[in-house]
Amino acid sequence: MKIIQAKKLGANKVSVILDTGEQLVLSYDVFMKSGLRKNDEISEDRFLLLEKENSIHLLKQKAFKLLGRRLHSAIELKTKLRNSAFHIDNINDVISYLRAKNYLDDAAFAESFTEEKIRLKKWGQGKVRAELIKRGISREIIDQTISKHFSESDVNSNARELAQKKLASLKIREPDTKKLRQKLIQFLMMRGYDYEQCKATVDELLS
């Protein structure tokens, strides 16, 4: 196959047209790196290799854009990349690359995620654990993160703060103390606190 024309498509793409009638659309960076010129011969193998290089280049761009917004777990990022029209093998290659370069670090993600949810939402460890599992974090990393961030005193303080705020809004529309107690316990359990912790916190608050 021979290149008969190479022309820019917008600012970031180049269309490489071959004498077979086929067209290879590459990002501008991949095209410049390839050194392709008019009248160059391209084998089928190189054609496929350029397609793969272009796909990986675009995947890296998408991945870095997502990681620039916030940290992701490896599984979380992989899931988002799979929603695009890229081959799974290329996605796996990019995930491996990002891990090797420490752009993806499940332990760092678990730390950041846990700190944020405790600080901003006062989540209990049950909810944090469930959310980390959903994001593909290993049990070992989850256990290490949980043990580091959930002291008994902090848990008690956070549960009490959440319950006090909820009580202020519930008291307006729920005069029945028994129902109020049940709703407060349910509210705390939904935020990851175990039943005994919820019961003790609510009993103390309503006593």
Side-chain angles (χ1 to χ4, degrees):
M1 296 183 289
K2 181 185 288 188
I3 297 175
I4 61 174
Q5 187 181 14
K7 61 180 181 179
K8 288 194 73 175
L9 300 175
N12 300 313
K13 293 181 181 179
V14 176
S15 172
V16 179
I17 301 173
L18 307 173
D19 59 359
T20 59
E22 293 178 273
Q23 177 181 247
L24 181 62
V25 178
L26 302 174
S27 70
Y28 182 76
D29 290 341
V30 172
F31 174 77
M32 294 301 294
K33 183 180 177 182
S34 71
L36 294 174
R37 296 292 184 271
K38 185 178 179 179
N39 295 322
D40 282 355
E41 292 284 346
I42 298 183
S43 67
E44 183 68 26
D45 286 344
R46 191 175 186 200
F47 183 94
L48 295 174
L49 180 60
L50 285 167
E51 281 190 323
K52 181 179 178 68
E53 288 178 357
N54 194 66
S55 176
I56 287 177
H57 175 78
L58 295 175
L59 276 166
K60 285 180 180 178
Q61 285 188 322
K62 185 174 179 67
F64 283 129
K65 185 176 181 179
L66 290 167
L67 291 171
R69 295 172 183 165
R70 65 167 178 81
L71 292 178
H72 286 65
S73 69
I75 293 297
E76 190 179 28
L77 183 62
K78 184 176 180 178
T79 299
K80 289 185 177 181
L81 293 178
R82 288 191 70 173
N83 290 333
S84 51
F86 293 102
H87 195 281
I88 185 61
D89 289 344
N90 294 338
I91 293 173
N92 287 335
D93 287 346
V94 169
I95 294 297
S96 296
Y97 166 83
L98 293 171
R99 273 179 156 159
K101 296 294 184 179
N102 292 322
Y103 293 115
L104 272 180
D105 184 334
D106 280 355
F109 168 79
E111 283 280 325
S112 174
F113 181 90
T114 302
E115 288 175 357
E116 178 183 301
K117 298 309 179 186
I118 293 173
R119 177 170 52 87
L120 298 179
K121 297 188 176 182
K122 308 298 181 186
W123 281 5
Q125 62 175 284
K127 189 169 179 65
V128 169
R129 182 181 293 277
E131 292 298 323
L132 289 176
I133 290 173
K134 280 171 57 177
R135 287 160 174 78
I137 305 301
S138 71
R139 183 175 298 277
E140 180 182 3
I141 290 176
I142 292 175
D143 288 344
Q144 290 173 352
T145 306
I146 293 293
S147 64
K148 178 179 178 181
H149 289 280
F150 286 95
S151 68
E152 184 175 350
S153 60
D154 287 340
V155 169
N156 291 339
S157 175
N158 289 341
R160 188 160 50 249
E161 183 178 338
L162 272 179
Q164 285 174 332
K165 288 181 179 179
K166 189 65 175 177
L167 177 61
S169 62
L170 282 178
K171 284 172 69 175
I172 299 173
R173 58 183 185 274
E174 184 53 77
D176 188 307
T177 302
K178 184 176 180 181
K179 290 182 180 179
L180 185 62
R181 180 176 180 277
Q182 291 173 341
K183 288 181 178 180
L184 279 173
I185 290 175
Q186 184 179 26
F187 170 77
L188 288 178
M189 289 183 68
M190 290 289 290
R191 274 138 190 88
Y193 295 89
D194 65 52
Y195 176 75
E196 291 302 324
Q197 172 70 62
C198 298
K199 182 176 178 297
T201 300
V202 172
D203 286 346
E204 177 187 346
L205 195 61
L206 294 179
S207 62

